C-alpha cells in the first residue's frame, strides 16, 4: 500500500497490535504520530526503529479517555505535519468479571477508554480530516462486540458501541472523501490475550476454523488496506480479522 505523504495517528501505537499498525503504516510511507499512555520507553524505541528504515514518526503521550488529552494529541499532529489523513483508534483495555462481581468502576473505566476514547479522537480529528480531502478512520473493535462474551459486559458493550459509532460517522463524513470503518479482531497474540488462562485460550482456539490465534501483523495488514486509496469504496464496514470465528 502506498501511503506516502499521508499523516496518521495511531492511538496505543507503541505496543501490541498498535505497534505493528504503526510499523506497517510507516513502512507504507505514512508519517506516524504514535500515541502512548504508559509505554513511554516502547514508544521512543519504536520511533527510532521507524526512523532507522527512513520512516517519519514522533511519539505523544496522551490518555485518550480524557477529552483534553485527545485534543492536544490531534493538535500536535497537525502542528507538526500540517494535516491529518488517517486515524487509527486502537487504544483499548479489558477489565473482565462476571456482572455479579463487576464493579461500576470497572464498567466505567472500560467504556471511557474504549468507547468515549474513540469519540474523543474522532471529534477532535474531524475538522482537520474533513479539510484534508483524504480521510480514513479505522476503529479497532473486537469479535466480543459482535458476538458478546461472558465476563465482558463492559468490553463487549464498548466494542459494539464502536461499531455503531463507526456506521454513524461513516454516514456523516461520506460526502467528504472520509471513510470510517471498523476492524473486529478475534484472538490475537498480544499482552491482552496473554492474560487469559490456558484452558480458556484452548477452548477458543477450538472454535476458530483456522485453529490458531492471529498475529498482530495480520491485523496491521487489514488496517493498511483500509487506510489506502484502494479501499476508497468501503465505508461503514466492520472487517472481521478472526480466522473465521464469527462467520
Ligand atoms: P495491549 O497489548 O494490552 O495494548 C493496549 C494498548 O492500548 C496499549 O498500546 C496501551 O498504551 C493502549 N491504551 C490503553 N489505555 C489507553 C489510554 N487510556 N490512552 C491511550 N492508550 C491507551 O492490547 P492489544 O491486544 O494490542 O489491543 C489493541 C486493540 O485491539 C484494543 O482496542 C483491543 O481491545 C483490540 N483487540 C485486541 C484483541 C486481541 O486478541 N489482542 C482482540 C480484539 C480486539 P500504553 O501501553 O502506552 O498504556
Amino acid at each position: 500500500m502506498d501511503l506516502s505523504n499521508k499523516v496518521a495517528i495511531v492511538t496505543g501505537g507503541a505496543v501490541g497490535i498498535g505497534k505493528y499498525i504503526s510499523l506497517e503504516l510507516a513502512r507504507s510511507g505514512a508519517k506516524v504520530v504514535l500515541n502512548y499512555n504508559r509505554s513511554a520507553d516502547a514508544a521512543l524505541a519504536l520511533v527510532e526503529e521507524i526512523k532507522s528504515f527512513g520512516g517519519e514518526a514522533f511519539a505523544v503521550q496522551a490518555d485518550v479517555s480524557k477529552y483534553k488529552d485527545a485534543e492536544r494529541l490531534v493538535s500536535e499532529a497537525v502542528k507538526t505535519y500540517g494535516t491529518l489523513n488517517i486515524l487509527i483508534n486502537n487504544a483499548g483495555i479489558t477489565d473482565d468479571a462476571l456482572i455479579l462481581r463487576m464493579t461500576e468502576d470497572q464498567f466505567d473505566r472500560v467504556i471511557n477508554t474504549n468507547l468515549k476514547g474513540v469519540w474523543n479522537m474522532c471529534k477532535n480529528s474531524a475538522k482537520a480530516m474533513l479539510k484534508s480531502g483524504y480521510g480514513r478512520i479505522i476503529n479497532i473493535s473486537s469479535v466480543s462486540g459482535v458476538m458478546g462474551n461472558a465476563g465482558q459486559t463492559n468490553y463487549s458493550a464498548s466494542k459494539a458501541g464502536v461499531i455503531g459509532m463507526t456506521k454513524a460517522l461513516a454516514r456523516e463524513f461520506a460526502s467528504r472523501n472520509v471513510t470510517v470503518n471498523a476492524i473486529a479482531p478475534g484472538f490475537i497474540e498480544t499482552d491482552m490475550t496473554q492474560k487469559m488462562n490456558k484452558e480458556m485460550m484452548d477452548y477458543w482456539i477450538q472454535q476458530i476454523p483456522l485453529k490458531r490465534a492471529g498475529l498482530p501483523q495480520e491485523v496491521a495488514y487489514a488496517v493498511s488496506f483500509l487506510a489506502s486509496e484502494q479501499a476508497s469504496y468501503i465505508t461503514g464496514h466492520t472487517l472481521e480479522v478472526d480466522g473465521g470465528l464469527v462467520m
Side-chain angles (χ1 to χ4, degrees), residues 140-149 152 155-156 159-160 163 183-188 204 208 238-247:
I140 306 300
S141 175
S142 167
V143 291
S144 296
V146 178
M147 59 197 281
N149 196 18
Q152 293 195 317
Y155 185 78
S156 295
K159 294 300 189 178
I163 291 172
I183 289 181
F187 286 83
I188 310 296
W204 278 109
I208 299 169
T238 299
L239 177 60
E240 283 138 15
V241 180
D242 65 355
L245 178 64
V246 157
M247 68 179 149

Side-chain angles (χ1 to χ4, degrees), residues 9-23 32-40 42-43 46 59-65 73 87-93 113 117-118 121 140 190 192 216:
I9 295 177
V10 183
T11 68
V15 301
I17 293 172
K19 173 181 177 176
Y20 287 80
I21 294 172
S22 300
L23 278 168
V32 177
V33 182
L34 201 152
N35 157 250
Y36 65 95
N37 186 25
R38 295 185 181 157
S39 301
L46 191 57
V60 180
Q61 194 284 331
D63 175 346
V64 296
S65 70
L73 169 57
L87 168 63
I88 315 297
N89 284 307
N90 165 76
I93 56 170
T113 303
V118 173
M121 288 302 299
I140 306 300
T190 67
M192 190 174 272

